[in-house]
């Protein structure tokens, strides 16, 4: 059985919602987009939610709204997908990369050291769906010394009076920041990704959560940004289609980044099932952790810390004392079993474009440590299926072994081979889970 890395969750409810959009005669921005915004707003407890066509376009628009210029700096982690920094560059500002902690997420101490009078925003990233330390980050930007350092260069910046915090929540829809608070409402702005591989998808898409403090009016800001996402046109296509509603105006330099109803329909059906899907993702995550718990070479990813809890987007395993080359060989070995795994992420300074701009991975040692030993499995949305027993898995030539037996068998292998077989064993555990589920 082949295991793809991240198949989308498509059931009859999703198909029916999309077909309903197709049959309605209206497939671009309209009532389904608005319905999805309301669902995410209730789910995340954000004050307002605006859906757009991608995380990246949403981040670019929000930074342009903030009024950043070529002289301004935006702090981002070196360990993230490139879109985080590319959005800063597209908005016209300079990304200032900082190192990560051992939990994959941005180092708050590194943020503090990177702040200058030119710093206008910070974009922490919830890697693998595990929330950053937003209590510390929000306290940091509100410290009198840091506020006094801030130099506003736009009307929006003057109104805020401090560094903006915009959570890159691409992975963390459904995560808990504390017992009663999901991600999406803990920072000034949070942006979820609704890309095809995310926990909830619209094929392509993003959702901007607005939580600006007073004197901002988030409801009015929603209207402003919605218009900005439609070329600053005073009427959307749905309104213009009404009899006599043809006249419109263009009142600013906007972007064309609206989400279409036919896309929103997918996410609308999925988010209604998401609480149950989250339980399934957590079950699979915990199955992996149980299988790896007694393996001294396995560094398990964080999932819960106090009241914080992951959205279980991916299982970000690390192999102790592994080199980058060994990790790559391991992925090749696993692929022979037709099991697809991945690495999240190649640190941005290692990518040609960012290297050409002068970023050097040597300045981000923890980011490289996290990367070189990382190998991820996706936690697919295969809900409502029988649970499976993770204690018996397949190792070599179909031989059945328990986890305890495997550690004994693997002790006879050199480090690379021992670990490869261990990973392959748990990959088979994942395969067993898929075999007991529905073929979606």
């Amino acid at each position: 059985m082949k295991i793809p890395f991240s198949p989308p969750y498509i059931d009859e409810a999703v198909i029916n919602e999309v077909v309903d959009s197709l049959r309605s005669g209206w497939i671009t921005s309209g009532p389904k987009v608005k319905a999805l915004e309301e669902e995410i707003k209730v789910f995340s407890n954000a004050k307002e939610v605006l859906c757009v066509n991608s995380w990246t376009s949403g981040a670019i628009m929000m930074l342009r709204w903030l009024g950043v210029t070529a002289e301004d700096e935006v702090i981002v982690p070196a360990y993230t997908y490139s879109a985080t920094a590319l959005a800063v560059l597209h908005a016209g500002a300079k990304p200032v990369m900082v190192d990560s902690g051992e939990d994959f997420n941005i180092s708050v101490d590194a943020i503090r050291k990177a702040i200058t009078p030119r710093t206008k925003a910070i974009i922490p990233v919830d890697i693998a769906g595990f929330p950053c330390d937003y209590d510390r980050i929000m306290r940091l930007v509100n410290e009198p010394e840091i506020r006094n350092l801030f130099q506003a260069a736009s009307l929006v910046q003057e109104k805020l009076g401090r560094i903006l915090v915009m959570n890159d929540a691409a992975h963390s829809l459904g995560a808990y920041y504390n017992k009663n608070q999901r991600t999406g409402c803990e920072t000034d702005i949070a942006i979820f990704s609704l890309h095809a591989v995310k926990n909830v998808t619209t094929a392509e898409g993003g959702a901007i959560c607005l939580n600006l403090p007073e004197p901002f009016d988030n409801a009015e800001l929603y209207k402003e940004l919605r218009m900005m996402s439609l070329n600053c046109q005073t009427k959307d296509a749905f309104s213009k289609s009404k009899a006599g509603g043809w006249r419109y105006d263009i009142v600013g330099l906007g972007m064309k980044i609206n989400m279409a109803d036919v896309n929103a329909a997918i996410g609308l059906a999925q988010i209604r099932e998401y609480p149950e899907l989250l339980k399934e993702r957590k079950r699979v995550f915990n199955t992996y952790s149980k299988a790896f718990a007694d393996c001294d070479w396995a560094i398990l990813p964080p999932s819960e810390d106090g009241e914080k809890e992951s959205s279980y987007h991916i299982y970000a395993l690390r192999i102790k004392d592994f080199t980058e080359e060994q990790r790559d060989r391991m992925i090749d070995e696993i692929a022979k079993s037709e099991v697809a795994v991945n690495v999240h992420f190649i640190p941005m300074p290692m990518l040609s474009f960012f290297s050409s701009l002068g970023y050097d991975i040597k300045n981000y040692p923890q980011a490289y440590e996290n990367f070189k030993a990382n190998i991820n499995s996706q936690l697919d949305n295969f809900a409502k299926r029988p649970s499976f027993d993770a204690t018996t898995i397949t190792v070599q030539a179909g031989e059945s072994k328990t986890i305890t037996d495997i550690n004994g068998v693997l002790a006879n292998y050199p480090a690379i081979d021992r670990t490869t077989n261990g990973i392959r064993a748990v990959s088979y555990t994942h395969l067993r889970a898929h075999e007991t589920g529905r073929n979606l």
Side-chain angles (χ1 to χ4, degrees), residues 55-56 76-87 97 125 127 168 170-171 193 195 198 343-348 351 354:
W55 182 96
T56 306
V76 301
Y79 191 85
T80 180
Y81 181 60
S82 58
T84 310
L86 291 174
M97 297 185 193
V125 183
I127 300 291
D168 180 343
H171 288 181
S193 172
H195 178 264
K198 298 305 189 290
V343 175
H344 287 71
F345 294 97
I346 301 174
M348 291 188 292
L351 302 173
F354 293 105

Side-chain angles (χ1 to χ4, degrees), residues 15-224:
I15 293 169
N16 291 338
E17 197 71 45
V18 173
V19 170
D20 182 67
S21 181
L22 295 173
R23 287 177 172 164
S24 73
W26 193 263
I27 59 174
T28 189
S29 299
K32 289 196 186 294
V33 172
K34 187 61 180 175
L36 179 59
E37 290 173 347
E38 289 300 316
E39 290 279 358
I40 296 174
K41 181 178 174 180
V42 171
F43 189 83
S44 67
N45 202 32
K47 292 182 173 65
E48 295 292 340
V49 173
L50 175 68
C51 284
V52 291
N53 64 1
S54 73
W55 182 96
T56 306
S57 63
I60 294 168
M61 183 173 73
M62 294 314 303
L63 290 170
R64 288 180 179 176
W65 167 81
L66 183 62
V68 296
T69 68
E71 301 300 317
D72 296 328
E73 298 174 347
V74 178
I75 296 173
V76 301
Y79 191 85
T80 180
Y81 181 60
S82 58
T84 310
L86 291 174
V88 177
L89 291 167
H90 280 297
K94 176 185 176 182
V96 174
M97 297 185 193
V98 301
D99 210 357
S100 304
E102 292 183 1
D103 65 352
F104 292 100
N105 287 339
I106 193 168
S107 164
V108 182
D109 291 336
I111 292 174
R112 179 184 291 276
K113 293 175 183 177
I115 292 174
T116 74
R118 295 184 297 277
T119 304
K120 297 300 187 291
I122 301 167
I123 309 181
V125 183
D126 298 334
I127 300 291
F130 188 68
C132 296
D133 192 342
Y134 290 108
D135 282 346
R136 286 187 65 196
I137 293 171
M138 295 307 295
R139 283 198 304 267
L140 174 62
V141 298
N142 281 290
E143 287 180 9
E145 181 182 354
I146 300 298
R147 291 183 73 110
N148 290 337
L149 192 65
F150 181 72
Q151 295 180 1
S154 72
L155 292 177
V156 170
Q157 294 170 25
E158 288 179 7
K159 194 172 182 179
L160 184 60
R162 59 164 172 79
I163 298 168
L164 178 90
V165 180
M166 184 166 74
N167 173 12
D168 180 343
H171 288 181
S172 62
L173 178 61
Y176 278 101
Y177 182 65
N178 61 41
K179 185 177 181 181
N180 301 308
Q181 181 174 318
R182 291 191 185 271
T183 52
C185 65
E186 74 279 29
T187 57
D188 302 314
I189 298 164
I191 308 180
F192 296 123
S193 172
L194 302 174
H195 178 264
V197 300
K198 298 305 189 290
N199 292 19
V200 173
T201 182
T202 55
E204 296 284 353
I208 304 169
C209 299
L210 304 174
N211 307 286
L212 275 296
E214 293 183 347
F216 289 95
D217 183 329
N218 287 284
E220 288 300 312
L221 179 58
Y222 167 84
K223 296 176 185 177
E224 176 187 343

